[in-house]
């Protein structure tokens, strides 16, 4: 029984040391930093440009669609790496190959739909 809890105690100790390290770093930063609030420091900072106008701006929907397409293809690339390692093992070849073609088929249908709707054209 002591060997069973030894692994957990090491993980717990590392977690406690990590939390303490972060807490000490934040506390030291809070104690050592100068606190001189000025009007310029209290302004909202946006990429080096002074904030001008209202706080509400209209954003075009197509930017969200581009982001959504990026997420779809990022998930695709994340799925390809484990698939490649499983495909290399014996006994899983044909099954994983069929699964990948089904997955790529879904992605192709989604890309074709986006292309037909004109999402991929920049105007």
């Amino acid at each position: 029984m002591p060997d069973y809890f030894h692994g957990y105690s090491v993980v717990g100790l590392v977690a406690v040391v990590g939390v303490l390290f972060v807490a000490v770093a934040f506390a030291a930063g809070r104690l050592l930093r100068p606190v001189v609030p000025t009007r310029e420091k209290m302004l909202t900072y946006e990429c080096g440009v002074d904030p001008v106008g209202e706080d509400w701006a209209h954003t075009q929907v197509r930017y969200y669609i581009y982001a959504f397409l990026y997420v779809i293809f990022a998930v695709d690339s994340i799925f390809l790496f484990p698939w490649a390692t499983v495909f290399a093992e014996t006994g899983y070849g044909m099954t994983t190959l069929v699964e990948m073609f089904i997955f790529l088929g879904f992605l192709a249908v989604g890309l074709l739909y986006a292309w037909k709707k004109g999402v991929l054209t920049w105007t």
Side-chain angles (χ1 to χ4, degrees), residues 43-121:
L43 285 176
T44 304
Y45 182 76
E46 181 76 30
C47 300
V49 179
D50 291 332
V52 178
E54 298 178 18
D55 57 349
W56 181 257
H58 294 282
T59 304
Q60 295 186 7
V61 174
R62 69 175 175 213
Y63 297 123
Y64 294 110
I65 296 172
Y66 290 131
F68 185 65
L69 287 173
Y70 171 76
V71 167
I72 289 173
F73 288 107
V75 169
D76 176 35
S77 64
I78 289 171
F79 185 67
L80 282 173
F81 290 116
W83 172 79
T85 58
V86 170
F87 186 69
E89 292 184 18
T90 58
Y92 292 105
M94 187 53 88
T95 304
T96 56
L97 185 64
V98 169
E99 287 176 356
M100 183 50 65
F101 277 121
I102 291 171
F103 181 71
L104 291 176
F106 281 126
L107 284 178
V109 167
L111 184 62
L112 182 66
Y113 177 76
W115 179 61
K116 286 286 190 183
K117 286 290 190 177
V119 173
L120 301 177
T121 57

